[in-house]
Amino acid sequence: MTTDGGGWLNVATLKKADSSSAWTTEISYRGISNYQNNLMGISTSAMRQLRSHLNFTQLRFHCSKENGRTFHVITVNNSTGEAVVQYFSGQSSVLPASCGSFITMKDDNSYLAQQCHRWGNDGSHYVGKWGHFNKNEEQRMYDRSAFVAHRYHWVAYNKLWLCDESGGNVFAISSEDFWKIYVR
């Protein structure tokens, strides 16, 4: 992976080939070897295991849909970005600040990345934080890890496949659409 200087390790590759495509999170970091099946993602506890072996400092979220929407961000390599890494690695349950915690890549054309000040839910919406306080902890990278309530979402969980779109305005899924997460 040569994106932004390279060194990226894929920890989730999700492509929904058809309406019957389903996936479950791998409970061990070793599950990343299943990336070829295009339905591989590791759980929060697996991310914690991985971090104990590989002290990664950045995360990269990338989704793209045929409808033209692409969300592609990389956490910054400082204490603000570290809070995001700790949250998604299960080392912290504190929802980290979103604005200032990431940079957008050249191909990002999302509304989501432009509205970080409206992300998240820590008991109320529009709080400027990654994540949702009331979601399955093991799925926190996949279920509304970045979202503006009722508007723009990163979701590849529980029959929802959203990339910069809302649950009420879902674009059709094509075989080229994907959701990927990397660490370095």
Side-chain angles (χ1 to χ4, degrees), residues 60-137:
R60 185 170 129 219
F61 289 84
H62 189 191
C63 68
S64 185
K65 288 189 81 172
E66 190 175 52
N67 69 7
R69 307 305 320 151
T70 297
F71 175 70
H72 195 182
V73 301
I74 297 175
T75 60
V76 292
N77 199 6
N78 63 23
S79 61
T80 307
E82 173 64 19
V84 178
V85 171
Q86 286 182 11
Y87 175 70
F88 288 113
S89 299
Q91 298 172 293
S92 171
S93 58
V94 176
L95 296 165
S98 50
C99 292
S101 70
F102 66 89
I103 59 169
T104 56
M105 299 307 295
K106 290 179 185 176
D107 61 342
D108 181 278
N109 64 1
S110 69
Y111 298 113
L112 182 57
Q114 297 171 26
Q115 296 186 27
C116 60
H117 63 284
R118 298 184 72 213
W119 286 16
N121 183 334
D122 66 357
S124 61
H125 290 293
Y126 313 115
V127 293
K129 296 181 180 180
W130 288 84
H132 192 297
F133 82 103
N134 196 24
K135 294 295 174 191
N136 180 333
E137 184 174 318

Side-chain angles (χ1 to χ4, degrees), residues 23-78:
W23 70 280
T24 58
T25 51
E26 301 283 345
I27 60 171
S28 167
Y29 74 90
R30 296 177 193 276
I32 61 177
S33 65
N34 297 326
Y35 72 92
Q36 296 99 337
N37 74 9
N38 289 327
L39 292 170
M40 180 281 302
I42 63 174
S43 67
T44 303
S45 55
M47 282 285 284
R48 188 170 40 252
Q49 289 172 11
L50 179 61
R51 192 146 198 235
S52 72
H53 296 289
L54 173 70
N55 191 27
F56 54 89
T57 59
Q58 291 180 284
L59 290 169
R60 185 170 129 219
F61 289 84
H62 189 191
C63 68
S64 185
K65 288 189 81 172
E66 190 175 52
N67 69 7
R69 307 305 320 151
T70 297
F71 175 70
H72 195 182
V73 301
I74 297 175
T75 60
V76 292
N77 199 6
N78 63 23

